[in-house]
């Protein structure tokens, strides 16, 4: 006969996972690092797209404002200021680094000559949350291209 804990442990861990899922649903947190898909269509734009896994992970970090930009490092007290050290035109947040930085704008312009993409002027800066609304506003083909360009930048 097996000891009691050998068959009881899987039941307890399954019940714990079930309870945590119910708690997350009750609190309406939807998406976490453990549940990146959540109930949000915008997250599925990242995770169910055709991009390679490393690009999806990058896009998820970008959407969660988790990239190592100077603004994020200054907020975490790793450096003293968040100004872009290359262009000095403003704070180096994700929007600056991937959209408005001069070399980034040049890459976007070159890619618009090859792919049917809107101008980066149409990408609205809404605090740190600008990627998911952008992906939600365009079709799947364009969103794949946008995420690939962002990853390349």
């Amino acid at each position: 006969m097996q000891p009691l804990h050998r068959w009881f442990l899987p039941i307890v861990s399954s019940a714990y996972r079930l309870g945590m899922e119910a708690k997350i649903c009750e609190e309406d947190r939807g998406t976490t690092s453990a549940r990146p898909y959540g109930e949000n269509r915008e997250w599925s734009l990242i995770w169910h797209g055709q991009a390679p896994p490393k690009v999806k992970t990058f896009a998820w970090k970008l959407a969660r404002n988790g990239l190592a930009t100077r603004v994020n490092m200054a907020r975490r007290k790793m450096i003293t200021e968040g100004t872009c050290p290359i262009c000095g035109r403003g704070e180096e947040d994700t929007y600056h680094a991937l959209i408005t930085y001069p070399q980034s704008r040049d890459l976007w312009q070159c890619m618009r000559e090859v792919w049917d993409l809107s101008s980066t002027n149409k990408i609205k800066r809404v605090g740190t949350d600008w990627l998911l609304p952008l992906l939600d506003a365009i079709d799947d083909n364009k969103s794949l291209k946008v995420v690939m360009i962002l990853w390349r930048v």
Side-chain angles (χ1 to χ4, degrees):
M1 187 165 145
Q2 292 184 350
L4 182 62
H5 65 83
R6 289 199 181 200
W7 64 266
F8 189 68
L9 188 59
I11 294 171
V12 171
S13 66
S14 295
Y16 175 78
R17 276 195 302 266
L18 182 63
M20 289 306 292
E21 288 287 324
K23 181 180 177 185
I24 288 170
C25 289
E26 278 178 22
E27 293 175 358
D28 196 30
R29 287 190 284 169
T31 59
T32 66
S33 58
R35 287 175 24 113
Y37 302 104
E39 306 302 326
N40 193 336
R41 172 180 140 52
E42 293 169 334
W43 286 116
S44 68
L45 294 171
I46 291 175
W47 293 112
H48 294 151
Q50 296 297 314
K54 64 184 174 183
V55 176
K56 291 178 185 179
T57 302
F58 166 80
W60 175 74
K61 286 181 180 181
L62 172 59
R64 305 267 308 168
N65 194 29
L67 297 181
T69 60
R70 294 192 58 90
V71 167
N72 285 343
M73 289 190 286
R75 188 184 46 161
R76 293 180 180 113
K77 311 268 189 271
M78 297 169 71
I79 59 175
T80 56
E81 65 178 62
T83 304
C84 180
I86 299 171
C87 73
R89 294 184 182 176
E91 293 191 322
E92 185 197 56
D93 59 2
T94 57
Y95 189 83
H96 172 73
L98 300 172
I99 304 298
T100 62
Y101 181 72
Q103 281 79 1
S104 301
R105 279 188 285 129
D106 292 344
L107 177 61
W108 282 98
Q109 178 60 38
C110 289
M111 294 312 298
R112 271 196 301 279
E113 294 173 9
V114 178
W115 288 340
D116 176 32
L117 295 171
S118 302
S119 170
T120 53
N121 295 335
K122 293 185 178 182
I123 300 174
K124 301 295 179 208
R125 178 186 222 152
V126 185
T128 58
D129 185 25
W130 55 270
L131 178 64
L132 294 177
L134 168 67
L135 296 179
D136 194 34
I138 58 180
D139 62 50
D140 291 346
N141 188 30
K142 279 188 182 179
S143 66
L144 173 62
K145 292 173 182 176
V146 165
V147 169
M148 293 301 293
I149 293 171
L150 290 170
W151 177 75
R152 184 62 185 141
V153 171

